[in-house]
Amino acid sequence: MEDTLRRVEELLQQEKLLEAARLLRDMPVSSSSLSESHRKVVQKAEIIEHAVADLLSSPQDDWKRQGGQSGDFTVYYKVDDGARLTCRIESPIPASLLVPLLSVLNESSLYQTWIPFFHRPFHMGVSSSKQLLNDSRGHQVIQVQCQVPWPMKPREALFDVAAVDDIDEHQFIIAKMTTINNETAQFLLDDNTFQVPECPPGMERCDFDGAVLFRACPPEHNNFQTVKQKHPTEDLFLVQFLFYFDAKMPLIPQALINFVTREAIGIIWKMLISVAEDVRNGKRKEHCDVIAQKREFYEDWVARRCEFMLRKIKDKNQRTKRSCRQQQSKNEHWTVDEILRMNM
């Protein structure tokens, strides 16, 4: 029991929350050794596992697929009750872009330096982004404030981001975003001293939840061939981004919904990929400076784990190919008895 709990703590230090939760679930439910923090781990894991299941399943009929994409990525969306938007983006990327992309997503204080601010046909965009808490290398609380078209009040999103490494078991990395309020903070945050800030006067706080999953890109994915033609010598990862946004309004004008789903999301995603390419090529000074300051984080942990994930994926693919060849070879050498049985 003590060895298991010690292993759980080691896994949590390595941002392997899902693996830690699997160990905790195998322990007796009535075990007195399980603390409240252990129960929080299991609760967090359930939320993340649900997000993984959503991303691994195909979009259903109620999703609308945004047409006119370049072929590099696909956008799906749906709007519920006129004001709640759920969006899903699927984008294969070359392996060389994985660490730069992770760094751009991770550096929340730099969001306003690259996320476009739109002036036409609607005045909207990120006006401020801050990291309010960063109590481990894989966990932070982010505050994002946005300008939206008049007469709506500016919106603020306050959310928890937990990065989880499940490479050893399932060869993926996921970052889960969950709206922070006084209720969710009770189980999301280990730092009991953190106080959820009040929404600033003149702003409306909205709900923002989502997840970003990084895994090997299946060859049958809709966008695989297009991206592979551009990067024929590189392995491809699949980035899947799912987010839910409740604007806290009775109704969003249809023209604004059309602009966000048909234009803004695609523009922002293209910009994200472009910024990641610039970071990879050393062209984004602000991002490159931050990465240099956090060399231990990005090079000793992020890059090392991404390289390990790529090796795991390649090993798994090789085993699958060998198994297929062995099965094919076996099927090509039927015995006389087997042939007779098939014809009976």
Side-chain angles (χ1 to χ4, degrees):
M1 184 78 72
E2 290 182 2
D3 289 342
T4 300
L5 292 178
R6 192 178 301 111
R7 178 58 180 158
V8 165
E9 293 305 317
E10 291 174 355
L11 292 170
L12 293 175
Q13 290 294 321
Q14 299 168 23
E15 312 301 338
K16 299 179 181 180
L17 183 139
L18 295 180
E19 193 173 344
R22 288 191 283 267
L23 286 180
L24 291 171
R25 288 184 182 127
D26 289 339
M27 297 178 67
V29 177
S30 59
S31 175
S32 59
S33 300
L34 292 181
S35 66
E36 182 62 27
S37 64
H38 292 138
R39 302 185 196 281
K40 286 184 179 180
V41 168
V42 175
Q43 191 174 4
K44 293 177 190 177
E46 289 172 353
I47 295 172
I48 294 170
E49 288 164 345
H50 181 74
V52 172
D54 283 345
L55 285 167
L56 292 181
S57 62
S58 299
Q60 301 303 309
D61 294 338
D62 56 338
W63 289 87
K64 295 181 180 179
R65 178 174 174 174
Q66 177 56 38
Q69 304 294 356
S70 64
D72 291 351
F73 64 94
T74 303
V75 176
Y76 303 87
Y77 70 93
K78 54 184 176 180
V79 181
D80 298 313
D81 300 329
R84 291 192 289 273
L85 170 67
T86 306
C87 182
R88 174 172 176 158
I89 305 170
E90 307 228 341
S91 180
I93 62 168
S96 62
L97 206 60
L98 182 58
V99 175
L101 183 60
L102 284 167
S103 72
V104 176
L105 291 171
N106 185 65
E107 295 304 327
S108 53
S109 61
L110 295 176
Y111 285 173
Q112 73 270 23
T113 68
W114 65 267
I115 296 179
F117 199 106
F118 300 96
H119 296 280
R120 293 181 182 179
F122 297 100
H123 185 81
M124 59 186 297
V126 173
S127 57
S128 172
S129 59
K130 298 178 182 177
Q131 185 186 80
L132 302 186
L133 178 69
N134 186 202
D135 54 354
S136 77
R137 59 187 177 185
H139 179 257
Q140 58 181 307
V141 173
I142 299 174
Q143 178 191 57
V144 178
Q145 297 176 342
C146 300
Q147 295 295 319
V148 293
W150 184 88
M152 294 183 288
K153 293 180 181 179
R155 261 41 185 183
E156 178 186 80
L158 186 67
F159 52 96
D160 173 276
V161 183
V164 178
D165 176 344
D166 205 28
I167 296 171
D168 295 343
E169 290 290 326
H170 296 111
Q171 293 82 59
F172 69 70
I173 299 170
I174 185 168
K176 178 69 180 75
M177 293 148 280
T178 309
T179 295
I180 282 281
N181 52 43
N182 289 325
E183 181 181 353
T184 58
Q186 297 299 314
F187 70 89
L188 288 174
L189 303 181
D190 296 326
D191 185 350
N192 296 325
T193 64
F194 180 81
Q195 298 294 319
V196 177
E198 295 292 331
C199 185
M203 280 199 166
E204 183 80 25
R205 184 165 288 168
C206 58
D207 291 339
F208 180 84
D209 293 88
V212 189
L213 185 70
F214 302 85
R215 63 187 178 101
C217 186
E220 63 273 15
H221 190 271
N222 292 334
N223 305 101
F224 180 90
Q225 291 300 331
T226 301
V227 178
K228 189 63 175 177
Q229 288 176 3
K230 296 179 180 179
H231 308 277
T233 63
E234 290 200 58
D235 295 289
L236 299 186
F237 283 96
L238 179 62
V239 183
Q240 295 174 284
F241 183 22
L242 177 68
F243 69 85
Y244 162 86
F245 175 75
D246 185 349
K248 300 296 183 181
M249 293 177 59
L251 186 69
I252 299 178
Q254 187 61 46
L256 180 56
I257 291 175
N258 291 342
F259 173 69
V260 170
T261 57
R262 297 177 184 177
E263 295 187 49
I265 290 174
I267 291 171
I268 292 171
W269 191 260
K270 289 178 182 178
M271 191 65 188
L272 171 63
I273 298 299
S274 176
V275 171
E277 290 172 342
D278 284 348
V279 171
R280 179 189 60 190
N281 299 331
K283 295 181 180 179
R284 282 266 168 176
K285 186 178 186 305
E286 289 178 296
H287 285 86
C288 291
D289 287 347
V290 171
I291 291 171
Q293 293 168 8
K294 301 179 180 178
R295 191 174 301 277
E296 181 179 355
F297 172 75
Y298 283 112
E299 293 189 5
D300 295 349
W301 185 56
V302 175
R304 179 171 53 82
R305 291 302 292 167
C306 289
E307 289 170 1
F308 179 72
M309 178 165 65
L310 185 57
R311 288 199 303 271
K312 291 275 287 188
I313 291 169
K314 286 182 175 180
D315 290 345
K316 182 179 179 180
N317 290 342
Q318 288 298 323
R319 290 195 300 271
T320 301
K321 289 179 181 179
R322 283 197 298 270
S323 177
C324 290
R325 285 197 296 267
Q326 291 170 358
Q327 185 63 39
Q328 182 180 10
S329 177
K330 178 182 177 182
N331 292 343
E332 289 174 351
H333 296 84
W334 300 103
T335 65
V336 174
D337 288 341
E338 287 172 330
I339 295 173
L340 290 176
R341 281 198 297 272
M342 286 190 292
N343 292 325
M344 289 179 64

